Amino acid sequence: MKSWDLREVEVEPHEPQIVSSDGDARVVVLQLPAGEELQEHEVHERARIVVVDGEVEVARSGGENVRGEGGHLFEFAPGERHTVAARSD
């Protein structure tokens, strides 16, 4: 078993840290400053976003927007396009 306290992973804005990677998944921790966004993108595998701190707005291609803060989990099907915008640090 592997485990991480994501609040303890040191990560600077614009410098994502890969904390785990294998054949079917990887875990990336990033700090997204307020007002910035990950532009619309997709990944080949299933994607999950866990908000550790702050608030984000996630938009699916096609119009659905959902806000989430610390503790919120988002999941996307393989190839599902989405945008993530930070509403607070």
Side-chain angles (χ1 to χ4, degrees):
M1 176 177 76
K2 298 177 183 177
S3 70
W4 299 267
D5 181 342
L6 298 176
R7 295 166 297 188
E8 299 293 322
V9 176
E10 292 190 27
V11 60
E12 297 295 326
H14 311 291
E15 295 183 23
Q17 297 292 320
I18 297 172
V19 295
S20 180
S21 184
D22 58 31
D24 64 344
R26 68 181 162 187
V27 177
V28 179
V29 177
L30 61 95
Q31 184 182 114
L32 193 58
E36 294 193 14
E37 72 177 29
L38 297 175
Q39 295 179 350
E40 186 175 67
H41 64 284
E42 65 183 83
V43 294
H44 298 289
E45 63 276 353
R46 184 167 301 281
R48 293 178 185 92
I49 298 171
V50 176
V51 180
V52 176
D53 196 18
E55 183 181 11
V56 298
E57 184 170 340
V58 177
R60 282 188 353 176
S61 184
E64 182 183 10
N65 291 11
V66 176
R67 283 187 180 235
E69 52 189 33
H72 201 107
L73 169 66
F74 297 89
E75 182 174 75
F76 301 92
E80 185 175 1
R81 298 188 66 76
H82 57 280
T83 302
V84 179
R87 297 300 175 218
S88 67
D89 287 339

